[in-house]
Amino acid sequence: MVLLALFLVRPQFGLLQRRVAASLTAELGRPVEISSAHVRFLPRPGLELENLVIHNTVDFGAEPMVRSSDVNAWLRVSSLFRGRIEISSLNLNDASLNLSRNSDGKWNVEELIERSSKSSTAPTASGRREPRREFPYIEGDHARINFKNGVEKTHFALTNAEFSLWQDSEDKWGVRLRASPIRTDANLTDTGIINVSGTWLRSPEVEDTPVQISWEWKQGQIGQLSKLFTSVDHGWRGGLRMDGTFTGTLRKLHINSDVSIDEFRRQDILTEGNLHAAAHCAAEYDSAGKSLTNLDCNAPAGDGILELKGSISSPFPSYHLTLLAKDVSAQPALELVRHINRSVPNDLRSAGVVNAMLSVSRDASAVPQLKGNGEILGLRLSSATTGSELLLGTVPFRLVTSKAQVQSFSTFLGSPELQIGPLGVALGRPASVQAHFAITRSGYNGLVRGEAAVKRLQQVARMLHAPLPEFSADGVASFDLAMSDAWGDPTPVISGSAQLRAVRAQVRGLNSPLQIHRADLAISPESVRVTNIDASARDTTWRGSLQIARPCSTPDSCALEFHLHSPQVSTAQLNQLLNPAAAKRPWYRLLALGTSDSFLSRANATGSITVDKLMLGKTACTHFSADVGLKNFRLSLTDIHGTVLNGRAAGAVKADFAVSPPAYSGMGSLDGISLGNLADLTNTQWVSGSGSAHYTFTTSGSNLADVLNKADLRASFVIGDAIFPHVVLGENSDSLHVSSFTGGIELKNGQLSFDDAKLQSDDGVYALSGTATLNGALKLKMIGENTNSYNLSGTLAQPRVSPVPNPPTQAELKP
């Protein structure tokens, strides 16, 4: 029971509380407060201190330096036998430590370091009986370390801190720290872990204290670290690791560090491959002058190396830094661009070496000076996917800070600028294409001028994965283009002008090449305007203009507006041009257009076409015009007008190729057409005169036979002053002359039927009913009003007229 009581009973002693507080005050030189102290006996003698507060001096503010609600102070047993109380170790739980800097630039821990250097305490674990007090082993866990500038607390802090402090030997102290950095005004989760371990020696002056510190910062995410220091996540991703050492004195430190980054990229870019970068740096820091001198950083890059040399000093700050690139491979530079700009293809490779010198300096004038130059030797870009390459040769570049230094660029994304060029690139023509580029921290822009072979341009565009319509071409293009791109944007913004000459293009869906004799292009970020088009295909010539919305990489993503004119077009020529089964077949096989996965069938286009003479088999439609719409495999022809068969035609047609078989519908009118010309198309001369009609229809099918068999057509017609030369009513009668023929007609299941049709002839008025097939077979009945009635059979070319039995009137066919 006594043993149990020694474990559980913790009596409070007010005198002991005051003695411990006074002892710590004398040891630290700062006021120390303890709200209560409890003695514990087992498992070893010690004190439990509540609400330990170590105050700051006046010049560091009123907030205490250390505050801990629960402190375990273990007593040194040997000192008890000598009649005194000594603390062997001090454990602070959930402590809050404020590291403050006053207006003179001094930290509140400097006085403690100086005081410890002058104390006569024995080492923490001396291992022998000492008349002096031994320095206690001080440790803390779950602590928070705040940083203050005067009386104002900064946004930076260390959390989950574990630290320890001890006297290692007679003149040497040691420290360890493990913590996670945070920013109090932001929610950060991946800032990494900081580990610090070090020692310092006794010195009469703080600045002359020799130190040897090793540190490590690992598992830091770059986006979170950028938010930690700047309060803004700048969109970079990757893992950061840093480690290094500080040796020397607090007055003059020698710094060595290693930095590495893995998986570096922009946040919106996911690309293959790990972009790894590493560098080693060394420098000297002079605390009196607050200067960093003899800075020397080295980073391997392929078979070459990057070197950063220079110095940085206060209070301006002033700096002189020089970056040297020696025989750096061009491929790592391309990988860096690929991880910060999504428009760089994954299969693009580069060859060549980079040599450059860049310097940045700032002196008492407080005006930064940035300059530099270099070149890439033997630069060559290649693509394994397309099997093509682009030889750029020697590429010069320079760094400038003033926009006025370059007048050829109208728009800049920011300063400073890395200017690249001029470049001379051979693209299949005698003269090289000239290019200039300017790269800034926001993006890049450039100018490209010259003349190139269209096929070579397509190869380069496919190699760079630039948006490109699905066609192959050859010919000549001259251009004057400006381009710009912000880092992270999927595609660059291109504007300018271009001219096409003698271009021969094979467009999918066209059975013959498209010959572009001339076309002028005005390119803006929103669209491409094509004017002065002079093109031909399958002996059909077209002139007019196009406007294509951008971006446009596939037919169904292109919003195209066109206005085209042709002097003469034959449906037979269009059939040979557009029909995927382009063997010699009738013009009406154009209906097969809907079965092809062609460029035209998938286009998204609106516009108009006019044709002076549209040949429809044996006849022609003159002054033809129509508004055209094509989207999602649906074709519409509206506001159709033309002159056909000496009459006027108007209407609208819709075709839906998104269904199988394709579906068609339409409506229209024919006014004043020549029936004689219509009869000439069948070589039977079965009628003469003029007529008009209004019609609507729906149908479906992949060929003409299916379309006619499934057609549902309804029409009303008016025929006046017509003669049917092969129809004779009575032995002594002339050919049937009709002064008026009106009614309705319906085509269904491949058969024509008449509805409420009346025929007024010289012999009287007849009601016409019956059917007729599409091949001309007749089965009609003429019921006379107050006159004879007749049956018509046979065909249009050879009709047979027979009287209805009652009354018995003979009718004969005129030879």
Side-chain angles (χ1 to χ4, degrees):
M1 292 180 64
V2 172
L3 183 63
L4 181 62
L6 292 176
F7 268 106
L8 299 180
V9 175
R10 291 173 171 78
Q12 179 177 356
F13 293 95
L15 179 61
L16 184 61
Q17 166 191 337
R18 290 189 293 274
R19 289 187 61 184
V20 171
S23 175
L24 290 175
T25 298
E27 193 68 33
L28 299 175
R30 310 224 174 161
V32 177
E33 293 181 3
I34 301 173
S35 62
S36 64
H38 298 267
V39 178
R40 64 183 305 169
F41 300 101
L42 293 177
R44 54 191 256 194
L47 301 175
E48 292 182 355
L49 308 179
E50 295 182 0
N51 298 324
L52 170 67
V53 177
I54 302 175
H55 290 279
N56 264 318
T57 56
V58 177
D59 53 341
F60 291 104
E63 193 169 3
M65 180 178 179
V66 178
R67 183 190 298 274
S68 179
S69 60
D70 183 15
V71 179
N72 292 321
W74 302 106
L75 302 178
R76 185 171 285 108
V77 177
S78 60
S79 67
L80 297 177
F81 293 105
R82 294 195 297 270
R84 65 185 186 190
I85 297 176
E86 291 185 16
I87 298 175
S88 62
S89 64
L90 200 64
N91 181 266
L92 287 74
N93 297 313
D94 297 322
S96 175
L97 173 62
N98 292 314
L99 297 181
S100 303
R101 186 180 185 184
N102 64 14
S103 58
D104 295 331
K106 292 184 175 294
W107 291 89
N108 57 357
V109 294
E110 291 185 29
E111 184 180 345
L112 293 180
I113 295 175
E114 184 177 9
R115 189 177 185 85
S116 65
S117 66
K118 297 178 179 179
S119 67
S120 58
T121 57
T124 299
S126 62
R128 63 188 180 187
R129 181 174 299 178
E130 287 276 356
R132 300 172 298 170
R133 290 179 178 272
E134 293 185 8
F135 191 87
Y137 185 85
I138 302 174
E139 62 180 348
D141 52 25
H142 303 292
R144 179 187 176 101
I145 301 176
N146 303 304
F147 296 90
K148 296 180 62 180
N149 191 6
V151 297
E152 183 179 354
K153 191 174 292 185
T154 68
H155 296 298
F156 302 102
L158 300 176
T159 61
N160 298 322
E162 300 175 3
F163 62 87
S164 57
L165 176 68
W166 68 96
Q167 184 175 347
D168 194 52
S169 63
E170 188 68 31
D171 297 321
K172 184 178 181 181
W173 278 262
V175 65
R176 279 195 297 264
L177 171 67
R178 176 185 175 90
S180 296
I182 65 166
R183 187 180 177 95
T184 57
D185 59 347
N187 184 19
L188 302 176
T189 57
D190 295 326
T191 56
I193 299 173
I194 296 176
N195 290 308
V196 179
S197 63
T199 60
W200 71 88
L201 299 178
R202 190 189 303 269
S203 175
E205 297 292 336
V206 175
E207 291 81 2
D208 296 326
T209 301
V211 298
Q212 185 170 350
I213 299 174
S214 299
W215 59 274
E216 178 189 48
W217 193 340
K218 61 181 181 180
Q219 300 176 9
Q221 198 272 333
I222 295 178
Q224 295 281 282
L225 293 180
S226 67
K227 193 171 183 178
L228 172 68
F229 290 108
T230 66
S231 76
V232 177
D233 186 346
H234 294 281
W236 302 106
R237 295 294 179 265
L240 177 68
R241 179 186 176 91
M242 296 187 293
D243 60 75
T245 61
F246 299 119
T247 58
T249 65
L250 294 180
R251 188 186 305 275
K252 191 168 186 178
L253 282 176
H254 298 278
I255 303 172
N256 282 277
S257 65
D258 291 283
V259 182
S260 64
I261 299 176
D262 286 296
E263 304 289 347
F264 180 73
R265 61 179 177 85
R266 281 201 60 82
Q267 64 178 0
D268 53 348
I269 297 177
L270 296 177
T271 186
E272 299 177 358
N274 174 22
L275 182 59
H276 174 80
H280 174 78
C281 293
E284 294 181 358
Y285 179 71
D286 185 351
S287 62
K290 295 182 174 56
S291 62
L292 193 70
T293 59
N294 297 325
L295 175 63
D296 187 0
C297 295
N298 296 276
D303 295 331
I305 190 170
L306 292 171
E307 294 183 352
L308 177 65
K309 298 179 181 294
S311 61
I312 304 173
S313 61
S314 294
F316 300 111
S318 63
Y319 44 80
H320 298 274
L321 300 173
T322 301
L323 176 64
L324 298 174
K326 299 179 180 179
D327 298 327
V328 175
S329 173
Q331 182 61 30
L334 179 63
E335 290 295 334
L336 175 61
V337 177
R338 194 196 321 275
H339 283 73
I340 62 178
N341 188 350
R342 68 175 68 181
S343 64
V344 179
N346 288 331
D347 65 333
L348 190 64
R349 297 293 179 266
S350 65
V353 294
V354 181
N355 291 300
M357 187 281 293
L358 304 176
S359 66
V360 56
S361 60
R362 181 182 181 184
D363 51 24
S365 63
V367 178
Q369 297 294 323
L370 183 64
K371 60 182 180 179
N373 58 76
E375 60 183 6
I376 307 175
L377 301 176
L379 180 60
R380 184 176 70 252
L381 301 178
S382 61
S383 170
T385 302
T386 62
S388 57
E389 67 176 21
L390 181 64
L391 180 61
L392 298 174
T394 299
V395 180
F397 57 86
R398 62 173 181 159
L399 195 63
V400 299
T401 56
S402 173
K403 297 180 181 180
Q405 295 185 35
V406 179
Q407 301 295 334
S408 57
F409 295 94
S410 60
T411 304
F412 287 86
L413 299 175
S415 181
E417 297 164 352
L418 179 63
Q419 297 181 4
I420 301 175
L423 305 179
V425 186
L427 294 177
R429 299 295 294 170
S432 298
V433 174
Q434 298 297 311
H436 296 74
F437 291 92
I439 299 176
T440 71
R441 60 187 178 185
S442 302
Y444 73 88
N445 59 10
L447 286 177
V448 181
R449 296 188 180 101
E451 188 176 81
V454 174
K455 180 178 289 187
R456 182 65 177 137
L457 277 178
Q458 287 186 302
Q459 291 175 348
V460 173
R462 291 191 177 97
M463 181 179 70
L464 300 178
H465 290 202
L468 190 69
E470 300 176 12
F471 66 87
S472 60
D474 200 0
V476 178
S478 57
F479 43 82
D480 186 350
L481 302 176
M483 60 185 66
S484 62
D485 187 15
W487 301 124
D489 287 352
T491 56
V493 177
I494 300 176
S495 61
S497 62
Q499 296 79 38
L500 302 180
R501 302 192 309 275
V503 174
R504 178 185 174 92
Q506 186 64 59
V507 182
R508 192 168 67 179
L510 297 182
N511 297 328
S512 296
L514 177 64
Q515 302 280 354
I516 303 176
H517 309 295
R518 176 184 175 179
D520 297 333
L521 284 71
I523 304 170
S524 69
E526 296 79 21
S527 66
V528 176
R529 177 74 175 171
V530 187
T531 58
N532 299 323
I533 295 175
D534 184 0
S536 62
R538 203 70 178 183
D539 299 325
T540 302
T541 61
W542 295 91
R543 291 180 175 84
S545 63
L546 299 173
Q547 183 161 317
I548 307 171
R550 298 183 59 207
C552 177
S553 56
T554 59
D556 48 2
S557 69
C558 293
L560 184 149
E561 181 181 348
F562 61 90
H563 301 281
L564 299 175
H565 170 79
S566 178
Q568 181 170 319
V569 175
S570 167
T571 53
Q573 293 171 335
L574 291 178
N575 178 64
Q576 291 296 319
L577 180 64
L578 300 175
N579 188 357
K584 292 183 179 181
R585 298 185 181 187
W587 63 270
Y588 46 76
R589 289 304 298 270
L590 273 170
L591 299 172
L593 172 66
T595 64
S596 171
D597 185 23
S598 67
F599 184 95
L600 298 179
S601 63
R602 295 187 293 121
N604 177 11
T606 59
S608 64
I609 57 174
T610 57
V611 180
D612 294 339
K613 188 175 183 180
L614 177 62
M615 301 301 299
L616 302 171
K618 295 180 180 181
T619 189
C621 178
T622 59
H623 309 295
F624 175 84
S625 66
D627 293 335
V628 181
L630 185 59
K631 185 176 182 180
N632 298 329
F633 292 86
R634 293 175 175 86
L635 171 68
S636 64
L637 298 176
T638 57
D639 199 21
I640 298 174
H641 288 88
T643 301
V644 63
L645 300 174
N646 294 334
R648 295 184 299 276
V653 177
K654 292 183 179 180
D656 187 355
F657 299 119
V659 297
S660 181
Y664 309 91
S665 63
M667 60 180 295
S669 64
L670 299 171
D671 187 18
I673 65 170
S674 170
L675 300 180
N677 291 343
L678 179 62
D680 289 341
L681 299 179
T682 61
N683 296 319
T684 59
Q685 292 80 43
W686 57 275
V687 68
S688 64
S690 63
S692 301
H694 294 272
Y695 61 87
T696 62
F697 72 90
T698 59
T699 186
S700 63
S702 299
N703 53 62
L704 183 62
D706 290 343
V707 168
L708 293 177
N709 288 332
K710 297 179 180 180
D712 185 354
L713 181 144
R714 301 175 189 274
S716 60
F717 62 89
V718 175
I719 296 176
D721 195 19
I723 298 176
F724 294 88
H726 298 309
V727 178
V728 178
L729 303 178
E731 294 182 358
N732 299 319
S733 299
D734 294 327
S735 298
L736 178 62
H737 176 264
V738 176
S739 58
S740 176
F741 186 13
T742 63
I745 191 170
E746 180 180 1
L747 173 63
K748 198 166 187 177
N749 298 324
Q751 184 171 268
L752 291 165
S753 60
F754 290 88
D755 180 27
D756 195 22
K758 287 190 176 182
L759 185 152
Q760 185 172 353
S761 69
D762 297 339
D763 297 329
V765 178
Y766 297 89
L768 180 70
S769 61
T771 61
T773 62
L774 292 177
N775 58 10
L778 304 177
K779 191 176 181 181
L780 302 173
K781 181 177 290 187
M782 297 172 57
I783 305 298
E785 297 180 4
N786 302 321
T787 186
N788 297 328
S789 300
Y790 302 93
N791 290 322
L792 275 72
S793 58
T795 65
L796 282 176
Q798 294 180 335
R800 293 193 297 272
V801 182
S802 60
V804 175
N806 188 23
T809 302
Q810 297 294 325
E812 62 182 19
L813 176 65
K814 181 176 181 180

